[in-house]
Amino acid sequence: MDLQLSGRVAVVTGASKGIGLAVTRTLLGEGVRVVAASRKSTPELGALTGDLVHVPADLTDPEAPGHIVERAVSEFGGLDILVNNAGGPPPGVALPRFSFLAPNDEDWRVMFEFNLFSVVRAVRAAITPMLARGGGSIVNISSGSARLPAPMNVDYNAAKAGLNNLTKALSEEFAPQGIRVNTISPGPVRTAWWTESGGAADIIAAQAGTDRDSVMDQVAPEMMKLSTGRLVDPQEVADVVALLASPRSASTTGADFAVDGGFLKQV
Ligand SMILES: NC(=O)c1ccc[n+]([C@@H]2O[C@H](COP(=O)([O-])OP(=O)(O)OC[C@H]3O[C@@H](n4cnc5c(N)ncnc54)[C@H](OP(=O)(O)O)[C@@H]3O)[C@@H](O)[C@H]2O)c1
């Protein structure tokens, strides 16, 4: 299937690792010109070929989203696709946390800055250049836990629930002008959030009295009742991003796509 993405311009946040890296690689493979934002680049990002510009930016800085979008316009002449992927544990934070009593006011503030307010600011910056092109596609990477309230990561879940609500509101307002806005809700994805030292797998391993690999291969899929029995691969999320970014999805807006191995059980 030709996704008709060749020559379009995208901004991808959190592009140096994990889902964002897979999205960047996939869009470049479709001929998209990509502005990739993260605080630092990685060898994996640097090795990608195509029309790619890395913008070093800390999305907890309120000025950063605007600068990233400006760079897309100055470098590539406009903006068609915005992938708000950066999110998860804010810098210096390790998740999961297991109780509402764990995060304090400052933790809540930083969680919302990173997972919700940075998206608000990026969308605000992107609307004008997208309208100038006659429309565009915004894909927000949310989480299955936005729709499954639980004591674990309560601040993160609430920020992602806000992101789902925002997405639907934006889809209503801007569909008549050609901008589509959708969320993807991954289940647990095998990225640095899980795999790195001190990451989610290590935290759960300490609780469960086991090791990191056992958590990722067995404990987490069982704990989260994943129908597929395994964590999600970042590429499986990236492929859905590409479809939603494409004009082949022209009638898809305000939708939420679960890429979660069967994590969410409700209809
Ligand atoms: N992994 C999961 O299990 C899972 C599940 C559900 C939803 N999600 C969602 O999927 C998205 C991506 O998660 P991931 O697991 O792929 O993340 P990841 O592998 O940990 O990568 C995070 C990316 O964000 C960048 N980043 C971190 N802090 C930043 C900041 N302050 N400013 C700019 N960029 C920053 C990182 O680069 P730098 O560190 O260089 O800045 C990196 O490129 C998030 O929205 C997350 O909530 C993930």
Side-chain angles (χ1 to χ4, degrees):
M1 177 165 65
D2 178 7
L3 292 175
Q4 301 166 9
L5 285 170
S6 185
R8 291 175 195 265
V9 180
V11 162
V12 180
T13 67
S16 65
K17 288 187 268 184
I19 295 169
L21 179 67
V23 169
T24 302
R25 185 186 294 117
T26 302
L27 293 180
L28 286 170
E30 294 295 325
V32 176
R33 295 174 284 170
V34 181
V35 168
S38 56
R39 289 170 301 167
K40 287 182 282 180
S41 188
T42 54
E44 292 81 7
L45 183 66
L48 297 181
T49 54
D51 285 328
L52 173 65
V53 174
H54 176 250
V55 178
D58 184 341
L59 283 158
T60 59
D61 170 4
E63 304 293 323
H67 289 149
I68 297 164
V69 170
E70 276 168 24
R71 188 68 188 276
V73 174
S74 64
E75 197 80 32
F76 295 129
L79 182 66
D80 305 295
I81 300 157
L82 171 62
V83 184
N84 288 306
N85 164 72
V93 173
L95 295 180
R97 288 187 285 228
F98 293 96
S99 166
F100 167 75
L101 297 175
N104 61 25
D105 266 8
E106 180 60 11
D107 294 325
W108 275 86
R109 190 191 65 72
V110 174
M111 187 62 76
F112 270 67
E113 283 289 345
F114 188 40
N115 283 279
L116 183 60
F117 300 157
S118 70
V119 178
V120 169
R121 294 172 185 130
V123 171
R124 192 185 285 133
I127 293 290
T128 300
M130 280 188 175
L131 290 177
R133 307 267 268 206
S137 173
I138 299 173
V139 183
N140 294 328
I141 306 300
S142 183
S143 167
S145 54
R147 293 202 277 142
L148 197 67
M152 188 187 281
N153 300 336
V154 64
D155 48 347
Y156 170 75
N157 302 345
K160 291 294 197 186
L163 180 59
N164 286 15
N165 190 297
L166 171 72
T167 301
K168 196 76 180 168
L170 290 167
S171 74
E172 281 292 301
E173 180 170 355
F174 292 103
Q177 293 156 280
I179 300 177
R180 297 180 297 107
V181 196
N182 295 286
T183 51
I184 295 174
S185 292
V189 186
R190 197 178 276 262
T191 67
W193 180 356
W194 283 84
T195 59
E196 71 187 1
S197 177
D202 277 352
I203 294 171
I204 294 168
Q207 288 254 329
T210 184
D211 60 85
R212 187 189 302 168
D213 286 337
S214 301
V215 167
M216 289 189 285
D217 293 341
Q218 190 182 344
V219 175
E222 284 176 5
M223 185 178 82
M224 301 177 82
K225 299 185 172 58
L226 302 183
S227 316
T228 55
R230 64 168 176 84
L231 301 191
V232 176
D233 186 276
Q235 186 63 47
E236 294 165 340
V237 181
D239 290 341
V240 180
V241 171
L243 183 61
L244 289 173
S246 161
R248 304 296 292 257
S249 294
S251 283
T252 303
T253 195
D256 178 38
F257 278 60
V259 184
D260 67 358
F263 170 64
L264 289 174
K265 306 296 181 195
Q266 67 268 37
V267 291

